[in-house]
Amino acid sequence: MAAIEASSHAPTPLLKDELDIVIPTIRNLDFLEMWRPFFEPYHLIIVQDGDPSKIIKVPDGFDYELYNRNDINRILGPKASCISFKDSACRCFGYMVSKKKYIFTIDDDCFVAKDPSGRSINALEQHIKNLLCPSTPHFFNTLYDPFREGADFVRGYPFSLREGAKTAVSHGLWLNIPDYDAPTQLVKPLERNTRYVDAVLTIPKGTLFPMCGMNLAFDRELIGPAMYFGLMGDGQPIGRYDDMWAGWCIKVICDHLGLGVKTGLPYIWHSKASNPFVNLKKEYKGIFWQEEIIPFFQSAVLPKDCTSVQNCYLELSKQVKEKLAKVDPYFDKLADAMVTWIEAWDELNSGGASDKLPNGKA
């Protein structure tokens, strides 16, 4: 892949010392060549899934650290059981070990997209803009994001709400291969998303959404401990619901804490569709379960004394155990893993934990 030429007057990268890029992978990361003009100034955290003896090649010039399953087991010990294996949900380990304020995560089959004018889209830059501008979760602005250039609050928007709320999550979209479930893939095998919608929306308070983890950024200090991608993959009865689970959890917690979640720009180019028959095997229980999971999250209420993300998440884990374990024993196990995740997060993000971490810069 030829690298895309950067602008001749390249601006100083935004937040280059405050943001990590997390990439889960099982293969060589040749796709980074396409992203070089945009990613090279940043630190990468690569979470290798699958066989830890396999050598993952990373193009020269990138500043990165790479963790495989042996590293995860070494760093977390018994608590490594909360990190999924043989599933891209392992990416959340990168969120845990990062020491930066912001995280951008992307899949290795996501390429640089172009806007309608043919210009390459710097997805990371747009995510940063989304995160640094307030959200409007408490009242919907019909002109979309009022903080974007050329937009504002429309007539009738309450002045008392115009300061907005801090933005915790920026959820990007995809051109080419849409993020469909297996049944939709099977009935629409040739469908491609060619529509570029130049808009960023705040998802209203009280509204859930299906979060996709392949083009996602978030404020780690505001919501990081809730960005757990669950138990998926090897040894689990379900897959491809890792980002969905995290999205439902973070939305309930963001609503409770008065934080905002944005969706829309930026776009990436999703290059290939995964096998729908393999996906169906992973998803089929989730397709049934979500009809009970979603009403659970829609009705979830967190106590007023839950004022930290960790406390909110632990409370949510109790409710999962109480109300979803009757759906399937898996949710009892998942609720326990949610607690383990918070324990591991706090352990690695407290003073004196850093000596366990370094994998060394590769």
Side-chain angles (χ1 to χ4, degrees), residues 169-219:
V169 179
S170 172
H171 177 256
L173 300 174
W174 349 266
L175 293 171
N176 196 36
I177 306 295
D179 186 29
Y180 285 163
D181 53 36
T184 309
Q185 280 183 289
L186 287 166
V187 297
K188 294 183 172 182
L190 301 180
E191 186 155 290
R192 300 293 181 265
N193 182 33
T194 59
R195 292 189 306 154
Y196 179 95
V197 180
D198 186 12
V200 179
L201 305 174
T202 295
I203 301 171
K205 181 178 180 179
T207 300
L208 297 175
F209 75 112
M211 189 172 83
C212 173
M214 74 172 88
N215 175 23
L216 179 73
F218 61 93
D219 186 320

Side-chain angles (χ1 to χ4, degrees), residues 35-57:
W35 288 100
R36 187 180 290 277
F38 306 131
F39 288 3
E40 195 168 24
Y42 294 88
H43 179 67
L44 312 182
I45 298 177
I46 299 163
V47 184
Q48 178 180 343
D49 196 17
D51 182 2
S53 67
K54 182 178 178 179
I55 302 300
I56 299 291
K57 294 180 181 178

Side-chain angles (χ1 to χ4, degrees), residues 4 15 31 37 63 76 82 100 111 133 150 188 226 232-233 257 261 270 272 280 311 320 335 342 349 354 359:
I4 293 168
L15 308 178
F31 92 115
D63 172 36
L76 295 185
C82 73
K100 304 289 178 60
F111 300 163
C133 288
K188 294 183 172 182
M232 303 283 152
L257 296 177
V261 178
H270 188 203
K272 64 182 182 182
L280 188 59
N311 287 344
V320 168
I342 292 295
N349 290 281
S354 58
N359 221 30

Side-chain angles (χ1 to χ4, degrees), residues 305-332:
D305 60 358
C306 284
T307 55
S308 71
V309 176
Q310 282 93 330
N311 287 344
C312 289
Y313 201 72
L314 291 172
E315 172 61 29
L316 208 48
S317 73
K318 291 179 189 174
Q319 296 184 25
V320 168
K321 187 178 277 285
E322 290 168 8
K323 298 179 180 179
L324 288 181
K326 65 186 179 197
V327 175
D328 191 272
Y330 164 76
F331 291 100
D332 194 61

Side-chain angles (χ1 to χ4, degrees), residues 96-111:
M96 183 187 284
V97 298
S98 171
K99 299 302 175 190
K100 304 289 178 60
K101 178 175 171 57
Y102 300 100
I103 295 287
F104 170 54
T105 185
I106 187 171
D107 285 4
D108 59 18
D109 62 351
C110 294
F111 300 163

Side-chain angles (χ1 to χ4, degrees), residues 233-299:
D234 194 49
Q236 308 304 333
I238 187 174
R240 285 174 55 85
Y241 273 85
D242 51 333
D243 41 10
M244 301 292 163
W245 181 263
W248 297 325
C249 290
I250 63 100
K251 190 57 169 63
V252 169
I253 293 172
C254 283
D255 286 353
H256 176 76
L257 296 177
L259 302 172
V261 178
K262 292 182 179 179
T263 188
L265 301 179
Y267 284 91
I268 50 83
W269 180 269
H270 188 203
S271 65
K272 64 182 182 182
S274 47
N275 186 309
F277 296 101
V278 173
N279 289 347
L280 188 59
K281 285 182 69 175
K282 295 177 180 179
E283 291 175 358
Y284 79 95
K285 287 191 176 181
I287 291 169
F288 289 106
W289 289 347
Q290 71 185 16
E291 301 306 318
E292 297 190 58
I293 296 171
I294 292 171
F296 161 76
F297 280 106
Q298 287 174 325
S299 62

